[in-house]
Amino acid sequence: MPSYYVSTSGNNTNAGTLAAPWATLSYALTTSVVVAGDTIFVRGGTFNDTVVPTFNGTDTTSTGRINVQNYQNETVWIQPSSNQQGFAIDFRNINNHFWSGIGIDGINGNSSGEPCMTVNGSSNLRYANATIRDASWSGILISQSLGDGSSCVFSSLVISTGGRIGAGGPAAHGIYFTASSARTTGFNHQHVVEDCEITGYTALSNDAGIQLFSDGVQEPDRLNGITIRRNLIRGNSVGMFIDGSSSTAPVVIINNVFRQITNDVIDLFQTLTGPVVYHNTIHANGGVGISVGTNDVVRNALIRNNAITNNGSNPVYVRQASTSSYALIQFNGFSANGGGNTVSDSNGLSTIASNSTSPPSYQDGSTSSTDLRLLSTSLYIDAGTTVVASTVTDDFLRNPRGSSFDLGAYEFQAQGSPSPLPQNQYPAWQITIINIGGAACR
């Protein structure tokens, strides 16, 4: 399929070849020359541009999608100037795009507070292998006010230092999923956040690494089937707020590492049925490890095989905002938490069993540690249970390496242990969805 080129030394009257490139991505993604299956290569440099694509791919195959990527690993930044819109890229009803290696710098974002990237009513979009930094508000906003959105993948991103508008604006989040109250029907669902590092959202006490918000009572069950896996979420005010999904397609939080979070880490906020929280390592944070029902009812939260250690308060707290909230809290490791190593169950409705209070024996358990893999002597090895759900994860996570699953994000292996930071193991466009079996963060 044809390839086209964009360069800071180019001109939009050129032919878009390597020798005669275009000057801006905004031109390349609105010209009638580019069609499904084509690739736009972006040469290294900083582009003072705001990109609003206007055409779709036909499907997610290599011949059907629109491909945008940096040329031969050159460093590319989209950095809108101060007189442009605050966002750098705006996907509005855009489908079947695959972007890789295109960084976004929001340092010039306007004071009204824009995300670096907006994704509205879009499906089958993949954005990967890039840094998104210095947003005046949130890093990425995924909404559905313009139509249903589904099956977008955000992979191997570093999202850092947002919320610069501070006290003058709303809470900012690294990635913010929302269901719009402007639409009484429709969904924003089946998205994936994987292998990302999200850090530096601290301007307000409720700034979070990831937020899912469906306005609770007004739009319940509108953010279904979102999977958050193999991410490092550190140095934010809150790890994540989760709101509004159903038992038929629950939110899945699996194989993530959380550290240096100021307040509560995973906040299962309201209007949730059956959220899945498996195989996370929650270490050296300021508040509760997992909070259940902070604002309204959360039913049947599944909390298993997590390592929740050295935090400032209880490992799990089922709150009394709704007297109907309850969770299944089993086969987790609780150690050295400031509120004690017991679950606080305000309503007395939860199932709490087979949790360990042994120390984890991490490779490095210091507050600033980036290596929370287990030592061979750890009592968390083979201390978990088999976890299966009819929801999303990948084939890699089905089988333990020992006699049973380990606790936390990393499955111990004697040789060839995984890197302590999330890395993308699934560069292909489509991932086979099978079941949850909870193994290593690789």
Side-chain angles (χ1 to χ4, degrees), residues 240-272:
M240 60 177 64
F241 282 113
I242 307 295
D243 166 30
S245 72
S246 71
S247 58
T248 56
V251 171
V252 176
I253 304 165
I254 185 169
N255 287 113
N256 302 283
V257 173
F258 299 86
R259 60 182 179 84
Q260 296 174 299
I261 302 299
T262 305
N263 301 310
D264 292 352
V265 182
I266 299 176
D267 194 337
L268 304 176
F269 192 67
Q270 63 179 4
T271 322
L272 288 162

Side-chain angles (χ1 to χ4, degrees), residues 319-330:
R319 300 182 184 271
Q320 207 168 14
S322 168
T323 56
S324 300
S325 290
Y326 66 95
L328 279 70
I329 306 162
Q330 301 165 308

Side-chain angles (χ1 to χ4, degrees), residues 54-269:
T54 59
F55 51 83
N56 296 318
T58 54
D59 56 51
T60 61
T61 65
S62 60
T63 58
R65 64 183 185 243
I66 302 295
N67 302 284
V68 180
Q69 67 181 78
N70 60 327
Y71 179 72
Q72 295 187 352
N73 295 318
E74 294 179 357
T75 301
V76 175
W77 291 103
I78 306 297
Q79 184 188 78
S81 59
S82 57
N83 63 348
Q84 293 174 308
Q85 291 277 2
F87 59 80
I89 303 175
D90 188 5
F91 295 102
R92 301 182 184 183
N93 297 120
I94 293 298
N95 305 317
N96 304 313
H97 275 227
F98 181 16
W99 291 51
S100 179
I102 308 299
I104 301 176
D105 188 337
I107 193 64
N108 297 323
N110 60 44
S111 59
S112 64
E114 296 279 358
C116 282
M117 180 196 303
T118 61
V119 180
N120 195 333
S122 298
S123 297
N124 297 319
L125 165 71
R126 184 179 180 91
Y127 203 95
N129 305 314
T131 294
I132 298 173
R133 68 187 184 193
D134 291 321
S136 64
W137 182 48
S138 294
I140 303 174
L141 173 65
I142 304 100
S143 63
Q144 46 76 266
S145 62
L146 299 178
D148 291 358
S150 67
S151 304
C152 294
V153 178
F154 304 93
S155 181
S156 298
L157 302 175
V158 175
I159 302 174
S160 65
T161 317
R164 290 185 295 101
I165 57 173
H173 315 293
I175 300 180
Y176 186 7
F177 293 93
T178 181
S180 173
S181 58
R183 299 182 72 228
T184 56
T185 61
F187 295 90
N188 191 13
H189 58 182
Q190 304 296 341
H191 303 302
V192 176
V193 179
E194 63 182 14
D195 304 304
C196 295
E197 179 176 356
I198 305 175
T199 186
Y201 281 79
T202 59
L204 300 178
S205 62
N206 55 343
D207 284 1
I210 297 176
Q211 161 93 318
L212 274 64
F213 182 65
S214 71
D215 202 10
V217 176
Q218 294 183 41
E219 290 87 36
D221 302 345
R222 300 279 292 282
L223 291 170
N224 288 340
I226 292 175
T227 298
I228 302 166
R229 63 188 177 201
R230 302 190 309 265
N231 302 286
L232 171 61
I233 300 176
R234 65 174 181 87
N236 305 294
S237 295
V238 177
M240 60 177 64
F241 282 113
I242 307 295
D243 166 30
S245 72
S246 71
S247 58
T248 56
V251 171
V252 176
I253 304 165
I254 185 169
N255 287 113
N256 302 283
V257 173
F258 299 86
R259 60 182 179 84
Q260 296 174 299
I261 302 299
T262 305
N263 301 310
D264 292 352
V265 182
I266 299 176
D267 194 337
L268 304 176
F269 192 67

